[in-house]
Amino acid sequence: MKASTREWIAKGEEDFSAASTLARPRKMPLWGPVCFHAQQCVEKYLKARLNEASLPVQKTHDLEQLLNLTLSEGIK
């Protein structure tokens, strides 16, 4: 695995951890930040996959666009 891919994954794992922590309180979970960090986690994992396939990583937060780029290249 490329070092740059590991960096994308590490950042995604941080967002996953943040989302999990923020969702944990039973009385007042912070749903807005949970959703933000969940979106960021998915975005970083898609960018990691593009990076690992030596495809350009788009400067976008559009998950649908990133997913379509991943699928259109036949990445598994």
Side-chain angles (χ1 to χ4, degrees):
M1 180 183 299
K2 297 177 184 179
S4 53
T5 301
R6 280 193 295 273
E7 290 176 22
W8 280 112
I9 290 171
K11 290 176 183 178
E13 287 296 311
E14 286 178 11
D15 281 312
F16 180 79
S17 179
S20 297
T21 299
L22 292 167
R24 205 165 280 129
R26 291 181 188 255
K27 289 191 178 188
M28 291 191 57
L30 301 172
W31 294 119
V34 168
C35 293
F36 171 79
H37 286 289
Q39 185 276 340
Q40 288 291 295
C41 176
V42 172
E43 176 184 332
K44 289 168 184 159
Y45 266 97
L46 288 170
K47 289 181 177 182
R49 191 62 198 102
L50 290 168
N51 183 74
E52 188 65 15
S54 298
L55 295 168
V57 176
Q58 303 288 319
K59 289 188 176 187
T60 183
H61 299 291
D62 186 336
L63 295 181
E64 187 175 5
Q65 179 185 1
L66 291 168
L67 179 60
N68 287 335
L69 284 169
T70 304
L71 294 174
S72 70
E73 295 298 330
I75 297 172
K76 295 180 182 176

